[in-house]
Amino acid sequence: MVKKIIAAAMLSALALVPMPASAQVSFGFHFGDEPRDFYPQLPMCLSDHQIREAIARRGYTNISLNVANEKRIQVRATQDGWVYLIDFDFCADRIRGQKALRPAG
């Protein structure tokens, strides 16, 4: 009986010891710990017109929208003499990323 208690105590203590980062297992499931999870969603996603207005408020002109896909849309727009491809989350009203494509003109 005492051996079982000691064994159980040792296993419990071993479970509390942190594993090295290389030994940790990840299955790719993330709930609430990715950066996009910290942006509040709007009550209703933006319409095409509202997306254009949101992009224009950020200083872009010549705004063209691609087809929406799962709360995201690619937007091509011009700012400061450059044409950008913008990854826009239209349900959180935020730019997820942008890439300079070419000089405008």
Side-chain angles (χ1 to χ4, degrees):
M1 177 79 168
V2 173
K3 289 182 182 180
K4 287 182 182 180
I5 294 172
I6 292 173
M10 290 178 67
L11 284 174
S12 297
L14 185 58
L16 297 175
V17 175
M19 292 190 298
S22 61
Q24 292 180 356
V25 178
S26 175
F27 294 103
F29 295 107
H30 303 283
F31 298 101
D33 61 348
E34 295 197 19
R36 70 174 173 260
D37 295 327
F38 298 106
Y39 286 91
Q41 298 292 300
L42 300 172
M44 291 180 59
C45 295
L46 301 177
S47 68
D48 286 357
H49 179 74
Q50 291 169 323
I51 293 169
R52 290 176 191 277
E53 288 180 339
I55 297 295
R57 278 193 306 271
R58 290 170 169 88
Y60 292 91
T61 59
N62 301 325
I63 300 163
S64 299
L65 304 181
N66 203 340
V67 177
N69 185 15
E70 295 184 17
K71 300 181 182 181
R72 294 166 67 178
I73 191 167
Q74 285 186 331
V75 179
R76 191 183 72 230
T78 304
Q79 186 181 55
D80 298 328
W82 281 88
V83 177
Y84 291 93
L85 182 63
I86 302 165
D87 181 14
F88 187 72
D89 182 337
F90 61 92
C91 289
D93 189 12
R94 79 177 187 101
I95 294 176
R96 296 175 55 101
Q98 69 179 10
K99 176 182 173 184
L101 296 177
R102 60 182 167 77

